[in-house]
Amino acid sequence: MHSNGYLDFEKPIVEVIEQIERLKTNNGLSAEELEKQRNMLKSKLEELKKTIYSSLSPWQRVQIARHPKRPYFLDYIKRLSSDFFDLNGDRLFGNDLSIVGGLLTIDGIKAMAIGQMKGRTLKENLARNFGCPLPEGYRKALRLMKLANKFHLPIITFIDTAGAYPGIGSEERHVGAAIATNLMEMSGFTVPIVSVVIGEGGSGGALGIGVADRILMMENAYYSVISPEGCAAILWKDKKHAPQAAKLLKLTAQELLELGIIDQIIPEPQGAAHWDWDQATEILKEYILSNIKALKALSPKELLEKRYLRYRKIGQWIEKP
């Protein structure tokens, strides 16, 4: 990671962007020459992005999913809706800021949106547990989902966590039971549920808000039973093998679509979502709305049957003769 907040393999792109910026202060060239050089550099920039991001390794996609400039849940929400109404607390213990949820309207469709939220600064990350939810976060999410189910509102969940918070307090307040309860309850709601993996999709921490009728995944997100570093620590006793683990875990969107774990891949702007938050939101919005509209056409009974079958068909096995 460079000091400017970009990844090592993004260095050629950043260098061209810096060249374009320098042209703005170069007064020794004519307007015609400036325009010519600017257009040439812009073409080079687009070509570089296309080349670099079309041949990413699984480990590089993991790095992009964690990119410090990547849009988070609230960054998307601010662009998706102007009337998001934040709802707080689990009515049992407290308000976990690593899960945010509330009511909103997207193009006339009222819904309940719930997402995992990281911070940009150290202070924000400490307040939000670095995006790793506590038990009260999952219980807040469940309270909001029950509210949505009661008032027949579709549920949209945004997954972006390395995993549930692993601290003593989290275990004392039964984080495993909170996640398990959410899995059970979400499987029985009679309203449409759409889940979108926007960044990291780590283990049970992601699953706690991830039981859905449709699971969408952004092109450069990852979704896995364990982080590459965690896998490397177990298999090789050394996290330096994380790139190798990322390849073996089959955690990219394309691999998960082939395995039937997810339903659709959401393409990102040229390069990745961190280069253009507005365009990333427009693409995301299109996919969310089309899936909600399709699911709203189904009866509650059809929704439950299709959701059940969706999870029953995951996995493959071979019976010995």
Side-chain angles (χ1 to χ4, degrees):
M1 179 74 73
H2 284 284
S3 57
N4 59 15
Y6 288 100
L7 302 167
D8 291 335
F9 60 85
E10 293 178 315
K11 188 180 177 183
I13 294 169
V14 176
E15 285 174 354
V16 175
I17 290 172
E18 287 170 353
Q19 287 174 31
I20 294 170
E21 287 299 311
R22 281 197 294 272
L23 277 178
K24 292 178 182 177
T25 56
N26 190 344
N27 299 318
L29 298 170
S30 66
E32 188 181 340
E33 185 62 27
L34 271 173
E35 188 65 22
K36 184 182 175 183
Q37 287 203 24
R38 193 179 294 116
N39 290 335
M40 186 179 71
L41 286 170
K42 282 181 179 177
S43 297
K44 185 180 178 182
L45 178 64
E46 292 307 305
E47 196 59 39
L48 263 176
K49 282 185 179 180
K50 189 176 178 180
T51 303
I52 289 170
Y53 292 104
S54 63
S55 57
L56 293 171
S57 69
W59 176 241
Q60 287 173 325
R61 290 199 190 276
V62 169
Q63 290 176 290
I64 292 177
R66 297 169 174 170
H67 204 294
K69 296 182 186 291
R70 192 171 176 85
Y72 296 151
F73 170 63
L74 287 176
D75 300 316
Y76 285 120
I77 290 298
K78 287 170 188 172
R79 289 163 174 79
L80 284 170
S81 174
S82 60
D83 67 348
F84 179 67
F85 189 81
D86 194 2
L87 296 167
N88 292 301
D90 68 341
R91 303 296 185 267
L92 289 168
F93 183 84
N95 184 43
D96 178 12
L97 294 176
S98 64
I99 288 190
V100 180
L103 299 161
L104 83 171
T105 309
I106 309 175
D107 279 8
I109 293 178
K110 296 184 187 298
M112 181 71 77
I114 298 160
Q116 286 146 340
M117 186 67 195
K118 299 173 182 177
R120 297 270 171 210
T121 64
L122 178 60
K123 186 178 178 182
E124 284 178 11
N125 266 319
L126 288 170
R128 297 191 187 276
N129 315 317
F130 292 83
C132 297
L134 293 157
E136 46 271 27
Y138 291 108
R139 291 180 183 126
K140 171 168 70 173
L142 180 58
R143 181 176 76 81
L144 302 190
M145 287 188 278
K146 283 182 173 179
L147 190 67
N149 194 56
K150 182 178 180 179
F151 291 103
H152 312 292
L153 298 172
I155 298 164
I156 312 162
T157 68
F158 294 73
I159 295 168
D160 189 12
T161 183
Y165 192 71
I168 293 172
S170 188
E171 295 296 341
E172 285 175 342
R173 298 193 297 280
H174 311 293
V175 67
I179 291 170
T181 301
N182 282 19
L183 302 186
M184 179 182 70
E185 295 279 3
M186 288 183 82
S187 64
F189 289 140
T190 55
V191 295
I193 308 173
V194 174
S195 284
V196 190
V197 186
I198 58 171
E200 293 189 89
S203 192
L207 286 178
I209 58 168
V211 177
D213 301 296
R214 301 277 171 86
I215 297 179
L216 318 180
M217 189 168 166
M218 296 199 75
E219 187 182 351
N220 293 307
Y222 83 86
Y223 201 22
S224 176
V225 295
I226 191 170
S227 71
E229 293 91 339
C231 177
I234 292 168
L235 294 183
W236 294 283
K237 313 298 182 196
D238 194 332
K239 69 177 185 178
K240 75 177 183 185
H241 293 283
Q244 188 180 348
K247 188 177 179 181
L248 295 171
L249 282 167
K250 306 288 184 189
L251 44 66
T252 66
Q254 191 57 52
E255 289 166 321
L256 292 168
L257 183 66
E258 289 170 10
L259 291 167
I261 306 295
I262 65 167
D263 300 292
Q264 283 179 326
I265 298 172
I266 301 175
E268 297 185 21
Q270 182 71 282
H274 60 273
W275 291 109
D276 192 335
W277 291 12
D278 292 333
Q279 193 185 349
T281 304
E282 282 304 308
I283 300 167
L284 177 68
K285 178 180 174 181
E286 183 185 328
Y287 275 77
I288 288 173
L289 289 177
S290 66
N291 278 282
I292 286 178
K293 286 171 184 173
L295 292 168
K296 279 169 76 77
L298 302 174
S299 69
K301 185 181 177 183
E302 287 174 317
L303 267 180
L304 289 174
E305 284 176 354
K306 286 179 181 290
R307 193 180 303 154
Y308 173 77
L309 290 172
R310 188 200 179 286
Y311 286 94
R312 284 292 292 168
K313 72 179 183 183
I314 289 176
Q316 300 173 0
W317 66 92
I318 300 169
E319 291 185 4
K320 291 181 179 179

